[in-house]
Structure formats: structure tokens, C-alpha cells
């Protein structure tokens, strides 16, 4: 089984074959009879191409066939013009009223589409999309987030560390570099900009040493951070509900469950009602809820590390883009790695 050939590619190959043939005829080195066998015989390039017509999409096959015939006639005529072949007299006809062949159109990768959609959703409630380093100091990924060196909580993130002997260690804070295992490194970096209030949505690549049906070593997260005066858990819940309804659909609801993160207090795990059974419970979700990701009220130590003025507090949340995409109703992927396998047969479906 060969792969399908897009029609424009097939026609491109035919035209190339025609040009090569015309060049060979113009060259005048070989006898016309030899050329006729080489260019039109059973082993010719044109004959090989003609056999491949079955890989052209069925709807275009008739048109592709017309082009094959035209190329054949053009070659026959060129041979005849050299005077030694008795080519049948035909006139090459070109019908300008025939419909054109639509070239296949690409589209943005589905993860990019999801990132754009998430950005637009948060934009509507004044969250600004920012970017922070994806290769960063260990300090921003862990230390500043209330996870000092050797703190066991760091084990939750299967982190890639960068080895660099030449790195000049300026202080204990800036001594090691990581491929960011989450987008939370953007929290203290954003606070360091010293503009309050903060309404940040940081979408970036993250890296963890994991690969299986639900993990890829590179994935994306989006991190929300809201810092203002008198921010409460109700604000967080309001934003979560808003996002779930916008992204997953108006029927969806969220719930928060107590959890633990070093950098939020209290911390939550956020669930959204299952899109397949609408919260009633089914094979996919078991009890009607699907886990979205983490959230919580920013820990005072993190605010301190970011030098946030007294009187301000806030919430943060961080979720996987791919995960959210897979949880959307109608996109039931059973293997996250499909997203990065570059198989157009899969990507074309979205
Ligand atoms: N960074 C956490 C993770 O990767 C998620 C999180 C973000 C939790 C912000 C709380 C607040 O799992």
C-alpha cells in the first residue's frame, strides 16, 4: 500500500516528466525511435506515473487522467516535429472552462488552536497573555515557590536539569537551570515586573521525564495568576466556572477539592463534569468528574519572594493544554502522543 498522492503533486510530477522528455528530444542525441521507447514505452517514467494514478483522490482522477493524455500527446508531437516518428495528428486542447484543482489547505496544529482559544477566553476577562522562560533557574521553578533545595515536594515534578560546568554560580538561588516542569515559574517572574494588579495567563512548553498514553516529555500548560486586593476563593471559583463553560460548553460545571501544593494555601484540585455523561457517571469518568489540574490561593512566602506589597493577595491555577483539549466533548483521544506523531491523517480531522 502506498500513501495517497495529493492531486497537485501528481500533476507536478507529470509536468516535470513532460519537461524532461521535451529536453531529451531537443537534445537530439538519441534517435527518435529510441526516444519513443524510452519516453513512452512500458518502462518509461510516464508509464510509471500513469500507474500511480490510482493513488490520486478518486474525485480528481478523471482530471488527472486528462493531464496524463495531454502530456503523452505533447511528447508524441515533439517527437513528430523531429520528423522521424509517425505520430497521429492530434491537436493539444486546453479547456479553460474546466474547474481548477483545489490545492490541499493546511491549518494550525490543534495544540496551537487550543492555545489560541484559551488565550481568547481569558482575554475577555482581562487576563493578559505573557511569556516567561521555558528554560529557567531552578529558583523560579522551585525555590521561589516555597520548595527549597532537597524539599521532597520537588519529587512531584520529574524534572530535567541542565548540566553546564561553565555556569558561574552567582548565588545559591541562581545555581541550577531546568527545563521548566510547569508554568508556575512565571508567577514570581511576573511579580518582579512590579505592576499591580496582576492578571496573567502564561502559556508555555513544559518538560517532564514521562512518556506513556497520557504523558509526553514536552507538553504545554497555561498558568493563571491574579493578584489584587481582597482576592478570595470565590473569585477563583468564578474564573474556573467561566473557563469551563467557555471552553468545554455551557453545561459543564467545576468543583474544587482540597489538595496540597507548596506554593498555594489553601490548595485545590479542580474537576470538571464529564462531557460524555454530563456528570452522571460513565465508563470514562467513573463518577461524573474529570480532573483538570491544580489551583489555590498564592502562598504568602511566594508573595514575599516576588516582593508583592502588603495588602495584596491572589490565586493561581495551572493546567495542561493537551489535557484540556482531550477532555473537550467530541475529542476522545486515547493516546496523548497522537498529538505529536505528525500524522496528517490524524491532524486533518480537526
Ligand atoms: N504547577 C502545578 C502543576 O504543575 C499546578 C498549579 C499551578 C497548582 C498553580 C497551583 C497553582 O501541577
Amino acid at each position: 500500500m502506498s500513501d495517497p498522492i495529493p492531486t497537485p503533486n501528481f500533476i507536478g510530477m507529470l509536468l516535470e516528466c513532460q519537461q524532461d522528455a521535451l529536453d531529451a528530444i531537443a537534445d537530439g542525441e538519441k534517435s527518435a525511435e529510441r526516444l519513443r521507447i524510452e519516453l513512452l514505452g512500458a518502462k518509461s517514467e510516464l508509464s510509471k506515473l500513469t500507474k500511480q494514478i490510482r493513488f490520486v483522490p478518486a474525485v480528481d482522477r478523471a482530471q488527472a487522467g486528462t493531464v496524463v493524455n495531454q502530456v503523452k500527446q505533447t511528447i508524441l508531437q515533439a517527437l513528430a516535429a523531429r520528423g522521424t516518428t509517425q505520430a497521429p495528428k492530434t491537436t493539444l486542447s486546453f479547456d479553460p472552462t474546466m474547474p481548477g484543482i483545489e490545492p490541499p489547505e493546511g491549518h494550525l496544529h490543534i495544540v496551537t488552536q487550543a492555545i489560541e482559544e484559551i488565550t481568547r477566553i481569558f482575554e475577555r476577562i482581562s487576563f493578559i497573555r505573557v511569556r516567561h522562560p521555558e528554560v529557567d533557574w531552578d529558583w523560579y521553578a522551585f525555590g521561589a515557590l516555597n520548595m527549597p533545595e532537597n524539599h521532597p515536594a520537588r519529587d512531584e515534578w520529574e524534572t530535567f536539569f541542565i548540566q553546564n560546568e561553565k555556569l558561574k554560580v552567582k548565588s545559591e538561588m541562581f545555581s541550577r537551570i531546568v527545563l521548566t516542569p510547569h508554568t508556575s515559574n512565571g508567577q514570581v517572574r511576573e511579580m518582579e515586573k512590579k505592576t499591580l494588579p496582576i492578571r496573567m495567563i502564561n502559556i508555555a512548553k513544559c518538560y517532564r521525564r514521562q512518556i506513556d498514553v497520557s504523558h509526553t516529555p514536552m507538553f504545554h500548560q497555561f498558568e493563571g495568576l491574579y493578584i489584587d486586593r481582597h482576592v478570595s476563593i470565590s473569585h477563583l471559583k468564578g474564573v474556573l466556572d467561566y473557563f469551563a463553560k467557555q471552553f468545554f460548553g455551557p453545561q459543564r460545571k467545576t468543583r474544587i477539592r482540597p489538595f496540597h501544593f507548596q506554593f498555594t494555601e489553601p490548595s485545590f484540585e479542580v474537576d470538571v463534569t464529564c462531557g460524555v455523561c454530563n456528570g452522571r457517571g460513565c465508563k470514562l469518568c467513573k463518577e461524573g468528574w474529570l480532573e483538570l489540574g491544580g489551583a489555590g490561593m498564592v502562598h504568602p512566602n511566594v508573595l514575599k519572594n516576588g516582593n508583592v506589597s502588603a495588602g495584596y493577595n491572589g490565586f493561581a491555577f495551572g493546567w495542561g493544554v493537551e489535557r484540556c483539549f482531550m477532555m473537550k466533548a467530541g475529542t476522545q483521544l486515547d493516546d496523548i502522543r497522537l498529538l505529536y506523531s505528525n500524522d496528517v491523517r490524524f491532524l486533518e480531522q480537526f
Side-chain angles (χ1 to χ4, degrees):
M1 235 322 264
S2 276
D3 289 335
I5 307 177
T7 315
N9 293 12
F10 183 72
I11 290 179
M13 291 191 286
L14 277 172
L15 294 180
E16 231 173 83
C17 166
Q18 171 177 293
Q19 194 53 50
D20 289 347
L22 294 180
D23 288 349
I25 295 167
D27 196 35
E29 250 184 36
K30 295 176 183 162
S31 76
E33 188 45 31
R34 218 173 122 200
L35 278 172
R36 199 185 61 76
I37 296 167
E38 273 183 29
L39 301 175
L40 300 168
K43 289 188 185 144
S44 66
E45 192 57 33
L46 184 61
S47 151
K48 275 187 228 152
L49 274 174
T50 310
K51 282 182 203 133
Q52 287 189 20
I53 201 165
R54 65 183 196 277
F55 300 122
V56 170
V59 285
D60 295 334
R61 227 167 269 160
Q63 253 178 305
T66 311
V67 182
V68 169
N69 281 333
Q70 284 180 357
V71 168
K72 196 167 174 186
Q73 293 309 330
T74 309
I75 296 173
L76 276 171
Q77 280 181 347
L79 281 170
R82 267 207 17 190
T84 27
T85 316
Q86 276 90 45
K89 274 225 152 45
T90 50
T91 38
L92 181 66
S93 66
F94 168 66
D95 180 358
T97 62
M98 255 168 70
I101 293 165
E102 228 180 290
E105 209 179 313
H107 62 69
L108 292 177
H109 189 275
I110 40 189
V111 173
T112 311
Q113 289 180 32
I115 289 175
E116 301 228 321
E117 188 179 350
I118 293 163
T119 309
R120 299 287 97 79
I121 291 173
F122 282 104
E123 228 168 45
R124 294 204 279 277
I125 50 167
S126 301
F127 277 65
I128 298 166
R129 165 99 195 262
V130 296
R131 285 163 186 277
H132 288 293
E134 291 168 348
V135 180
D136 205 355
W137 294 107
D138 166 295
W139 165 251
Y140 290 106
F142 295 115
L145 298 174
N146 207 23
M147 286 184 274
E149 286 272 321
N150 300 320
H151 193 289
R154 288 185 174 212
D155 291 352
E156 290 290 309
W157 289 271
E158 303 269 333
T159 312
F160 290 104
F161 285 86
I162 303 245
Q163 245 174 3
N164 186 350
E165 272 83 45
K166 292 201 195 100
L167 194 74
K168 290 200 188 72
V169 177
K170 290 189 213 120
S171 68
E172 211 176 298
M173 265 157 67
F174 302 110
S175 59
R176 290 203 289 178
I177 292 177
V178 297
L179 300 186
T180 51
H182 56 176
T183 41
S184 300
N185 67 312
Q187 291 191 16
V188 166
R189 282 197 170 270
E190 192 65 24
M191 293 173 194
E192 286 178 348
K193 289 184 185 167
K194 295 199 180 311
T195 25
L196 291 169
I198 292 172
R199 289 186 212 91
M200 161 188 106
I201 193 84
N202 171 32
I203 312 183
K205 292 190 178 69
C206 299
Y207 305 86
R208 293 187 197 174
R209 295 176 47 230
Q210 281 173 319
I211 183 158
D212 57 47
V213 286
S214 51
H215 297 91
T216 46
M218 185 284 299
F219 61 102
H220 297 78
Q221 275 193 345
F222 58 107
E223 181 100 3
L225 178 69
Y226 176 45
I227 306 281
D228 206 339
R229 290 182 193 279
H230 313 297
V231 179
S232 72
I233 296 175
S234 326
H235 295 131
L236 169 62
K237 187 67 169 54
V239 170
L240 301 181
D241 278 335
Y242 163 78
F243 173 75
K245 289 194 192 323
Q246 295 282 318
F247 190 77
F248 298 108
Q251 260 62 268
R252 311 289 279 267
K253 293 191 179 69
T254 64
R255 73 171 178 191
I256 50 179
R257 279 182 290 115
F259 200 69
H260 172 81
F261 292 106
Q262 278 294 112
F263 38 98
T264 44
E265 180 58 39
S267 302
F268 310 107
E269 195 97 279
V270 183
D271 298 336
V272 63
T273 43
C274 171
V276 175
C277 64
N278 234 328
R280 266 174 262 115
C282 68
K283 239 181 23 206
L284 176 76
C285 65
K286 311 277 187 317
E287 297 187 337
W289 296 94
L290 295 169
E291 207 181 290
L292 248 185
M297 303 305 288
V298 180
H299 195 288
N301 288 352
V302 179
L303 294 171
K304 205 161 78 197
N305 289 330
N307 277 319
V308 172
S309 330
Y312 280 84
N313 73 328
F315 65 70
F317 56 86
W319 304 331
V321 173
E322 290 84 350
R323 204 183 151 75
C324 280
F325 176 79
M326 288 169 72
M327 281 164 58
K328 242 184 166 177
T331 46
Q332 285 172 47
L333 306 185
D334 50 13
D335 190 338
I336 193 172
R337 292 170 295 191
L338 273 172
L339 291 172
Y340 295 111
S341 62
N342 272 347
D343 186 339
V344 281
R345 287 171 307 181
F346 166 72
L347 295 171
E348 268 170 0
Q349 297 173 36
F350 299 93

